[in-house]
Amino acid sequence: MSSVRVASFSISLDGYAAGPDQDLDNPMGVGGMALHGWALATQTFRRTHFGAEDGTTGVDDHFAVRGFENLGAWILGRNMFGPIRGAWPDHEWKGWWGNNPPYHVPVFVLTHHARPPLVMEGGTTFHFVTTGIEDALRLARDAAGGKDVRIGGGADTIRQYLRAGLIDELHLAVAPVLLGSGESLFEGLNMPALGYECVEQVASELATHVVLRRAHRATS
Amino acid sequence: MSSVRVASFSISLDGYAAGPDQDLDNPMGVGGMALHGWALATQTFRRTHFGAEDGTTGVDDHFAVRGFENLGAWILGRNMFGPIRGAWPDHEWKGWWGNNPPYHVPVFVLTHHARPPLVMEGGTTFHFVTTGIEDALRLARDAAGGKDVRIGGGADTIRQYLRAGLIDELHLAVAPVLLGSGESLFEGLNMPALGYECVEQVASELATHVVLRRAHRATS
């Protein structure tokens, strides 16, 4: 059964998914890269992002691997695709990931500004969706052909899908880091009322991995 | 060197230290007891609260033990002492813990309503302080005779002491539980700006233990 998943999404102890002042130099916001120490060290990340064969193979890598299993499509908020805000000045920006992005499936980018699809090497095509989160999910499900759809982020995109009751499972990695301000994942969201509970918790030295699953339909 | 510490303080994945609707039946708020599963199972808690000799002896108990080491005094918010709000109707309420509370040292209770000291069995005396958090800390330090002062909670009391820059170390236990609403420990507090960083992270099956320490004086 196909599901809609968030995976390998890192937050700080105080609940932030990115630090303050995100820009081209600090795409994760100030201090935000520290959230991802667990992921950057894994064999999976090293292989998919750098073509390297080193990296950790323990709990952290186990979750990184799970995040990529059975994926048929991704959905990204526009800020995860790039630092450009407002209308596209041109079509030069092609994402943070170079010519062969680590997706290898269709990726639906939420934006208010239309742009033609962008075909990359390795099977990744970026589709720009201006008709809202539900339409993006419908398109992603169709493209996924029965496989899972992964909501990549950022926090605001995930919060929109959570509020709409459209995410089946979230794997979060809580990093032993304090950020103090930035994009909060949970603030103002009542996760139990939305139907979520924590069904798994495993820690490495670099992060605590938790899996939240929607056990029932929202009651309020 | 004497320090001011928070220890064994449990929060949910979404950052709440207690659930909503705290009252006499639900002193931790609805769902709040689930935060404390790790602690309730420990040998230390079983011994101190129930005179039992069973209980876990692993990571969770290690932190429970640390929380009681070298303590000379405690500070509690009034809501941790009892469910009564406003003026004391009488002096019948003597805390949640029976005649022999698990403190065995002087305990300073923050309140707006004066009350004479309450001497309990086993070395615990409750002192009711109406002159604010700084004065309570001064009294607790004097009473502690060079040992540590533990700020027991609740969240609001800890937040007041954090804002005032008066806590040296916090041991928090993040339980794999979502509460959705209630008393948030971190909301609106910028912990790095207050000088705190995470210096330790160890998990059991029931909680992730983190230690936050004030590494430097606040910069803003």
Side-chain angles (χ1 to χ4, degrees), chain A residues 120-196:
Chain A
M120 307 295 289
E121 294 173 17
T124 300
T125 298
F126 293 109
H127 300 272
F128 300 88
V129 181
T130 59
T131 45
I133 64 166
E134 305 214 356
D135 207 43
L137 182 55
R138 185 181 59 73
L139 293 165
R141 277 193 196 278
D142 287 351
K147 292 188 172 180
D148 293 347
V149 175
R150 179 164 160 181
I151 314 282
D156 184 60
T157 296
I158 294 173
R159 289 165 60 86
Q160 290 183 51
Y161 278 104
L162 285 172
R163 280 207 189 88
L166 294 171
I167 295 178
D168 297 303
E169 183 183 293
L170 300 91
H171 157 232
L172 306 178
V174 184
V177 168
L178 294 163
L179 286 180
S181 64
E183 282 198 73
S184 172
L185 181 60
F186 290 129
E187 195 170 317
L189 281 187
N190 189 319
M191 291 292 284
L194 289 166
Y196 295 91

Side-chain angles (χ1 to χ4, degrees), chain A residues 176 178 190 192 198 201 203-205 208, chain B residues 176 178 180 192 198 201 203-205 208:
Chain A
L178 294 163
N190 189 319
C198 180
Q201 183 213 227
S204 73
E205 287 177 33
T208 298
Chain B
L178 294 163
C198 180
Q201 184 212 228
S204 74
E205 287 178 31
T208 298

Side-chain angles (χ1 to χ4, degrees), chain A residues 12 16-21 26 28-36 177-179 181:
Chain A
S12 65
Y16 297 102
D21 304 323
N26 283 298
M28 310 293 178
V30 174
M33 278 306 288
L35 299 179
H36 304 281
V177 168
L178 294 163
L179 286 180
S181 64

Side-chain angles (χ1 to χ4, degrees), chain A residues 60-71:
Chain A
D60 294 328
D61 194 56
H62 165 76
F63 277 96
V65 168
R66 267 171 64 167
F68 283 99
E69 281 171 356
N70 195 44
L71 288 190

Side-chain angles (χ1 to χ4, degrees), chain B residues 43-120:
Chain B
Q43 186 180 73
T44 295
F45 189 92
R46 298 278 305 149
R47 182 182 292 153
T48 54
H49 286 67
F50 295 106
E53 286 303 318
D54 57 351
T56 65
T57 57
V59 168
D60 294 329
D61 194 57
H62 165 77
F63 276 97
V65 168
R66 266 171 64 167
F68 283 98
E69 282 172 355
N70 195 43
L71 289 189
W74 287 65
I75 295 173
L76 302 182
R78 189 199 185 175
N79 297 356
M80 282 209 50
F81 177 71
I84 300 163
R85 305 293 181 265
W88 304 103
D90 52 47
H91 295 165
E92 287 304 302
W93 181 265
K94 294 177 178 175
W96 302 103
W97 308 277
N99 292 326
N100 189 348
Y103 300 105
H104 312 296
V105 291
V107 177
F108 296 83
V109 178
L110 298 163
T111 171
H112 294 292
H113 303 277
R115 179 171 164 177
L118 177 59
V119 180
M120 308 295 289

Side-chain angles (χ1 to χ4, degrees), chain A residues 11 13-16 174-181 186-193 196-208 210 212, chain B residues 11 13-16 174-181 186-193 196-208 210 212:
Chain A
I11 60 174
L13 286 171
D14 44 357
Y16 297 102
V174 184
V177 168
L178 294 163
L179 286 180
S181 64
F186 290 129
E187 195 170 317
L189 281 187
N190 189 319
M191 291 292 284
Y196 295 91
E197 61 182 10
C198 180
V199 297
E200 188 176 352
Q201 183 213 227
V202 188
S204 73
E205 287 177 33
L206 298 175
T208 298
V210 294
L212 313 183
Chain B
I11 61 174
L13 286 170
D14 45 356
Y16 296 103
V174 185
V177 168
L178 294 163
L179 286 179
S181 64
F186 290 129
E187 195 171 318
L189 282 188
N190 189 319
M191 291 292 285
Y196 294 92
E197 62 182 11
C198 180
V199 297
E200 189 176 351
Q201 184 212 228
V202 188
S204 74
E205 287 178 31
L206 298 175
T208 298
V210 293
L212 314 182

